[in-house]
Amino acid sequence: MLTPELWDPTTKVFSQLAPQAVPRTYHSVALLLPDGRVLSGGGGLCGGCATNHTDIEILTPPYLLNADGSAATRPTLSNVPADAQLGTSIAVKATTGVKAFALMRLSSNTHAVNNEQRRVPLSFTIGTAGEFILKIPADPGVVIPGYYMLFALNTNGVPSVSRTLRLH
């Protein structure tokens, strides 16, 4: 498949993006990077392929760009703890204009299938000092213990560069 798709969790609709230059089939990988871009690589020996593909492509999704193609302004995260317990809350600092937070589980990808990737939206409140208090879900079936990327998203849906958080 050459055409990546972008899921919109608000509208619950996929939209097609610009096609990849190289078919990414058997033994390929697609990984969400901490900066919100997507690494797509490997694959080969597909129906019309003459060889294996030992290269990668980096997709810059449209949510990282302004209409003119320049980089969109991103929120930033700071003071993120290194780890947290399921069912607790953590305090983080972020720039103003943040409207959402999401956890993205670090990937485990093989044979073009990613069994571990998941997005977990987090509810939050604002603390007395302006910090964001994020509620970590308690259900280990929703938040499997392990490492996650924490993203802050602004009102335009532009994500921060993530911070890694271990949940246990």
Side-chain angles (χ1 to χ4, degrees), residues 120-153:
V120 180
L122 298 178
S123 59
F124 68 94
T125 58
I126 307 292
T128 57
E131 75 279 19
F132 293 89
I133 310 297
L134 311 181
K135 175 80 173 127
I136 307 297
D139 185 345
V142 172
V143 180
I144 297 169
Y147 289 91
Y148 288 78
M149 294 182 282
L150 172 65
F151 288 96
L153 294 96

Side-chain angles (χ1 to χ4, degrees), residues 55-128:
D55 57 354
I56 64 168
E57 296 175 70
I58 303 288
L59 169 70
T60 300
Y63 55 75
L64 294 177
L65 303 172
N66 295 315
D68 66 2
S70 61
T73 301
R74 296 171 152 231
T76 59
L77 281 168
S78 60
N79 295 340
V80 176
D83 65 335
Q85 295 268 39
L86 299 182
T88 64
S89 294
I90 60 170
V92 303
K93 291 190 178 178
T95 51
T96 58
V98 169
K99 76 163 190 167
F101 291 89
L103 293 170
M104 294 293 295
R105 185 157 165 83
L106 294 184
S107 292
S108 175
N109 191 310
T110 183
H111 294 85
V113 177
N114 190 335
N115 294 314
E116 293 295 323
Q117 192 76 77
R118 62 181 58 212
R119 179 184 185 273
V120 180
L122 298 178
S123 59
F124 68 94
T125 58
I126 307 292
T128 57

